[in-house]
């Protein structure tokens, strides 16, 4: 797996790491059992790759647009699976499971770190087949690239899950969270470079797109897969931004969980 | 006796609503302690605070000497909580639920599997082990929820209404397993609104009502708190007016009674001797009696005596 178990062990000690792994493995088996969401996501991704993508690249003859677009599709997939995993915390609140977790001999921090890591792992594992397909279609298949991409995917997905967890825990009301979640998804995807480079954007799209983490990860992956000239945001900026977001997200979720959350 | 749980002046507000009002209570190691009270009394709120799931608004709570607000994780390592509403993921089977709970509580290998097997067998859950939790009936879900904690064997085992919805055979099985757990050294805390359960199972009881502890003690001691030996229940043909009640007190000369609707309960000594006298005197002032009953006090009566309400 992409996260190092020795690193976790250093941070949390053996027992704590076992607890975190228990929560993650439970989430993994849950995702596998709840096939519906995953199957629908795969189908829609494949349609975007083989139908929509092919048509749009006939219209936009910008050099290599199809490959440019494929990276965007991969990020969208990762993004949705990560959000879904983060959203799971809200589902657990709804089902009264939060109370249960809060009564267990695990710290609140462990629970929330585990949930964020789950989101990262789930998204990464789940996106592997699509990543392989995209690398093949882009003629960029290499083991080193795969490792780099999966690592970045994990870090990005972990942050996205974390952000949804923060929102869920703060709001707690499923209805309001649903609305915020909807708005957030639309904004993050629309105001980003997943579909288009900033060069062709109107300026009021451009600035939000430049600070949007979704743009950062997309352009970073474009740099790795397609090389120079394929991105709007240079890797020297995108990479630290992604790392920073991940650390901020873990820190914030832990603080909120330890200080504010009540089980009822 | 060593104190297992020490609650001092505990209050809890949900918004502006005060659910617990300066509760003070000790629970001792190795006892089965029952919080008995009607719906909304504050039982679950109290238990959730002990378990660090929710935070006290004010006051002090210590579990095994550890403060619940200062070191919640340490507290949680000593407790197990069986919830009023059973908890499980949608995709879990009964075995998944129990095994995962055991593992997260630190049980391993043969010990875990053996505990699971034994408790499932005792509660008649064995044949449901592969069934999806969410497809179980209400009573079976409850049994699984209770089984988690029986398997875990925590130092302090908390059961929130452990036998609600469970059938009679199941109730007895659960009570027996809870007693076994106590005999193995755990301290047990249960919440219940079932008098019979409190009486059958608990070594000590506190009656809680509207967020206040009204009395506490051994079931026998509580019954002794009713000042006179017998309880005489009289059902009348109709409700009494205030004036008639006044007349009755004057005539009979017993002021230790409670009247609700058509029922009057006298707390008296020598009930058998008094009954004919009371009946005659009531007749003489024109109050018609439908039925009478003399009995030993039960917890129900204790509750009624202190709150003026019945639990049933
Ligand atoms: N989250 C909450 N917000 C507001 N009020 C609450 C909340 N949870 C509980 N209450 C109120 O606090 C009081 C005590 O509730 P609690 O659940 O502790 O009662 P209980 O004794 O366990 O009752 P029951 O027998 O029905 O389980 C009730 O009046 C309830 O409505
Ligand atoms: Mg309750």
């Amino acid at each position: 797996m992409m996260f190092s178990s020795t690193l976790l062990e250093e941070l949390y000690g053996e027992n704590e790491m076992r607890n975190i792994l228990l929560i993650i493995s439970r989430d993994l088996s849950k995702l596998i059992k709840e096939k519906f969401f995953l199957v629908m996501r795969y189908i829609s991704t494949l349609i975007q790759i083989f139908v929509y993508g092919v048509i749009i690249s006939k219209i936009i003859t910008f050099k290599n647009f199809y490959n440019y677009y494929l990276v965007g599709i991969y990020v969208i997939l990762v993004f949705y699976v990560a959000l879904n995993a983060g959203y799971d915390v809200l589902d657990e609140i709804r089902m009264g499971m939060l109370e249960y977790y809060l009564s267990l001999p695990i710290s609140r921090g462990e629970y929330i770190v585990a949930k964020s890591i789950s989101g990262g792992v789930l998204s990464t594992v789940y996106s592997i087949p699509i990543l392989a397909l995209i690398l093949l279609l882009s003629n960029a298949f290499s083991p080193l690239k795969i490792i780099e991409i999966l690592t970045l995917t994990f870090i990005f997905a972990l942050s996205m899950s974390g952000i949804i967890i923060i929102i869920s825990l703060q709001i707690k009301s499923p209805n309001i969270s649903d609305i915020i979640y909807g708005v957030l998804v639309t904004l993050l995807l629309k105001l980003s470079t997943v579909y288009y480079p900033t060069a062709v954007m109107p300026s009021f799209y451009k600035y939000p797109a430049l600070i949007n983490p979704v743009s950062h990860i997309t352009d970073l992956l474009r740099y790795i897969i397609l090389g120079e000239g394929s991105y709007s945001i240079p890797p020297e900026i995108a990479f630290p931004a992604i790392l920073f977001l991940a650390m901020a997200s873990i820190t914030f979720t832990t603080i909120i969980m330890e200080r504010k959350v009540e089980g009822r | 006796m060593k104190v297992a749980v020490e609650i001092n002046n505990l209050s809890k507000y949900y918004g502006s609503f005060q659910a617990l009002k300066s509760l003070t209570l000790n629970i001792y190691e190795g006892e089965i302690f029952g919080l008995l009270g009607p719906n909304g009394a504050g039982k679950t709120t109290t238990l959730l605070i002990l378990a660090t799931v929710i935070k006290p608004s004010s006051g002090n709570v210590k579990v095994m000497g550890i403060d619940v607000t200062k070191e919640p994780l340490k507290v949680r390592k000593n407790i197990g909580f069986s919830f009023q509403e059973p908890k499980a993921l949608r995709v879990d089977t009964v075995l998944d639920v129990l095994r995962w709970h055991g593992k997260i509580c630190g049980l391993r290998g043969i010990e875990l599997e053996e505990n699971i097997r034994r408790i499932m067998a005792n509660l008649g859950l064995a044949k449901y082990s592969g069934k999806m939790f969410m497809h179980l009936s209400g009573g079976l879900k409850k049994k699984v929820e209770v089984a988690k904690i029986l398997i875990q064997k925590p130092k302090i085992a908390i059961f929130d209404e452990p036998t609600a919805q469970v059938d009679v055979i199941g109730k007895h099985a659960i009570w027996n397993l809870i007693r076994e757990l106590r005999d193995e050294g755990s301290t047990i805390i249960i919440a219940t609104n079932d008098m019979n359960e409190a009486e059958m199972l608990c070594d000590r009881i506190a009656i809680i009502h509207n967020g206040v502890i009204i009395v506490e003690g051994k079931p026998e001691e509580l019954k002794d708190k009713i000042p006179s030996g017998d309880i005489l229940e009289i059902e009348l043909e109709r409700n009494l007016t205030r004036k008639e009640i006044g007349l009755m007190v004057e005539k009979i000369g017993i002021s230790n009674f409670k009247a609700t609707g058509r029922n009057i309960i006298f707390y008296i000594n020598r009930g058998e001797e008094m009954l004919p006298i009371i009946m005659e005197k009531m007749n003489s002032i024109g109050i018609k009696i439908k039925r009478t009953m003399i009995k030993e006090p039960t917890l129900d009566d204790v509750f009624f005596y202190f709150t003026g309400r019945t639990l049933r």
Side-chain angles (χ1 to χ4, degrees):
Chain A
M1 203 57 358
M2 277 306 107
F3 65 94
S4 134
S5 60
T6 47
L7 175 71
L8 274 180
E9 230 165 289
E10 265 170 39
L11 276 172
Y12 292 103
E14 197 191 328
N15 265 341
E16 286 77 4
M17 198 194 83
R18 220 193 42 216
N19 290 339
I20 291 177
L21 290 179
L22 271 168
I23 295 176
I24 296 173
S25 66
R26 189 179 216 204
D27 281 351
L28 262 171
S29 78
K30 179 177 163 201
L31 188 83
I32 291 162
K33 287 181 200 160
E34 285 179 336
K35 295 177 200 75
F36 182 73
F37 167 79
L38 295 186
V39 171
M40 293 313 286
R41 272 281 134 217
Y42 268 148
I43 291 174
S44 100
T45 303
L46 291 174
I47 290 174
Q48 295 199 60
I49 292 175
F50 289 111
V51 183
Y52 194 67
V54 171
I55 294 171
I56 207 165
S57 59
K58 290 259 155 57
I59 301 166
I60 303 176
T61 50
F62 192 75
K63 62 159 184 169
N64 243 348
F65 184 74
Y66 187 56
N67 292 343
Y68 182 90
Y69 171 85
L70 287 183
V71 178
I73 296 305
Y74 171 73
V75 170
I76 291 173
L77 174 69
V78 172
F79 179 76
Y80 271 115
V81 183
L83 292 198
N84 188 63
Y87 202 55
D88 193 56
V89 170
L90 195 63
D91 197 44
E92 289 189 343
I93 294 172
R94 224 175 255 173
M95 292 177 54
M97 286 297 283
L98 185 64
E99 267 186 337
Y100 173 56
Y101 286 121
L102 294 184
S103 76
L104 292 174
I106 54 176
S107 77
R108 293 166 163 223
E110 274 160 45
Y111 167 72
I112 222 65
V113 166
K115 279 294 186 185
S116 303
I117 294 178
S118 278
V121 174
L122 293 180
S123 319
T124 311
V125 170
Y126 182 68
S127 314
I128 287 174
I130 300 292
L131 175 64
L133 178 66
I134 281 171
L135 290 177
L136 284 176
L137 289 173
S138 310
N139 239 334
F141 205 92
S142 101
L144 182 65
K145 280 185 185 175
I146 292 179
I147 291 174
E148 287 172 359
I149 293 169
L150 291 182
T151 309
L152 290 169
T153 300
F154 170 70
I155 295 172
F156 170 72
L158 173 148
S159 323
M160 287 298 126
S161 302
I163 289 169
I164 292 296
I165 291 172
I166 295 175
I167 296 175
S168 306
L169 290 177
Q170 288 285 50
I171 315 270
K172 263 193 173 177
S173 143
N175 294 332
I176 299 173
S177 296
D178 277 345
I179 296 168
I180 293 182
Y181 174 72
V183 172
L184 188 78
V185 168
T186 313
L187 285 181
L188 281 175
L189 287 185
K190 283 266 182 283
L191 303 179
S192 78
T193 59
V194 270
Y195 296 113
Y196 313 105
T198 49
V200 302
M201 285 181 191
S203 62
F204 60 92
Y205 266 47
K206 198 187 257 167
Y207 296 106
L210 284 174
I211 56 163
N212 182 346
V214 178
S215 308
H216 297 155
I217 183 71
T218 317
D219 281 358
L220 203 49
L221 296 188
R222 283 190 181 124
Y223 164 72
I224 293 170
I225 299 172
L226 307 174
E228 294 294 335
S230 60
Y231 49 82
S232 315
I233 302 167
E236 309 85 84
I237 293 175
F239 183 59
I242 295 284
L243 278 188
F244 175 77
L245 185 71
M247 289 192 297
S249 140
I250 289 269
T251 312
F252 267 118
T253 39
T254 310
I255 290 174
I256 287 172
M257 191 69 186
E258 295 280 358
R259 301 245 172 100
K260 290 187 77 173
V261 173
E262 293 235 39
R264 207 179 197 199
Chain B
M1 268 188 301
K2 274 182 81 180
V3 177
V5 175
E6 193 185 335
I7 302 176
N8 268 315
N9 289 317
L10 171 66
S11 291
K12 174 70 185 177
Y13 287 86
Y14 292 112
S16 61
F17 174 74
Q18 190 171 11
L20 298 180
K21 297 163 190 160
S22 200
L23 235 72
T24 296
L25 186 66
N26 280 347
I27 298 170
Y28 299 99
E29 270 184 24
E31 70 177 353
I32 301 181
F33 186 87
L35 262 185
L36 176 66
N39 296 140
K43 303 181 293 295
T44 302
T45 301
T46 310
L47 298 186
L48 288 176
I49 291 173
L50 296 188
T52 78
V53 174
I54 59 176
K55 293 169 187 156
S57 304
S58 64
N60 255 305
V61 180
K62 282 186 182 161
V63 176
M64 313 282 292
I66 309 159
D67 190 301
V68 293
T69 32
K70 289 187 190 125
E71 295 183 281
L73 181 58
K74 258 195 182 166
V75 170
R76 285 202 293 277
K77 289 190 169 157
N78 286 296
I79 61 149
F81 199 112
S82 169
F83 287 89
Q84 186 170 356
E85 305 285 340
K87 312 278 186 217
L89 296 179
R90 265 190 285 272
V91 294
D92 280 344
T93 63
V94 170
L95 196 56
D96 289 337
V97 171
L98 297 178
R99 199 175 268 153
W100 194 85
H101 182 84
K103 280 187 183 166
I104 200 90
C105 295
L107 293 173
R108 284 287 160 284
I110 297 172
E111 188 194 4
L112 173 60
E113 295 306 317
E114 178 49 28
N115 282 1
I116 292 178
R117 195 203 55 72
R118 198 177 74 84
I119 299 295
M120 291 224 291
N122 272 298
L123 292 179
L125 285 172
K127 59 172 174 286
Y128 302 103
S129 72
K131 199 165 162 119
M132 299 299 285
F133 178 86
M134 68 167 184
H135 294 155
L136 296 180
S137 70
L140 286 171
K141 279 186 183 147
K142 193 79 214 193
K143 284 185 181 175
V144 176
E145 182 66 26
V146 170
K148 281 183 194 169
I149 306 311
L150 294 170
I151 290 165
Q152 179 191 344
K153 300 186 176 180
K155 283 211 188 80
I156 306 222
I158 302 174
F159 298 92
D160 196 350
E161 306 200 3
T163 62
Q165 290 195 59
V166 175
D167 59 31
V168 180
I169 295 174
K171 274 193 202 309
H172 283 276
I174 290 175
W175 291 339
N176 283 334
L177 288 167
I178 289 181
R179 286 188 198 107
E180 260 177 45
L181 190 60
R182 175 207 46 201
D183 295 342
E184 288 175 39
S186 295
T187 303
I188 317 281
I189 306 170
I190 71 164
T192 184
N193 53 38
D194 177 349
M195 291 290 171
N196 185 35
E197 176 163 83
E199 216 159 352
M200 297 278 291
L201 185 60
C202 298
D203 302 317
R204 260 173 6 102
I205 293 168
I207 293 182
I208 180 171
H209 183 49
N210 288 332
V212 177
I213 300 234
I214 293 168
V215 268
E216 63 171 294
K218 298 198 167 91
E220 292 314 309
E221 289 170 5
L222 294 190
K223 289 179 202 163
D224 288 345
K225 297 216 173 178
I226 297 183
S228 310
D230 289 325
I231 287 177
L232 172 59
E233 253 185 64
I234 298 181
E235 192 185 333
L236 304 171
E237 297 274 331
R238 59 178 173 82
N239 289 0
L240 292 187
T241 62
R242 209 173 275 264
K243 202 171 146 209
E244 282 171 318
I245 291 178
L247 203 58
M248 181 184 81
V249 174
E250 195 179 303
K251 194 89 187 169
I252 302 174
I254 298 174
S255 56
N256 209 347
F257 72 94
K258 287 199 171 152
T260 48
R262 293 175 188 190
N263 286 304
I264 300 182
I265 295 176
F266 291 100
Y267 300 95
I268 51 172
N269 289 317
R270 293 173 287 114
E272 247 110 273
E273 287 170 39
M274 289 296 291
L275 179 59
I277 301 167
I278 289 175
M279 282 175 73
E280 195 204 301
K281 287 187 172 166
M282 287 184 90
N283 245 327
S284 74
I285 52 172
I287 301 172
K288 294 244 153 39
I289 292 171
K290 204 168 158 193
R291 212 171 17 217
T292 62
M293 193 165 67
I294 299 175
K295 54 177 196 176
E296 297 261 294
T298 63
L299 279 182
D300 241 338
D301 302 309
V302 176
F303 187 78
F304 184 77
Y305 179 78
F306 285 104
T307 66
R309 288 188 43 181
T310 57
L311 260 179
R312 297 207 170 146

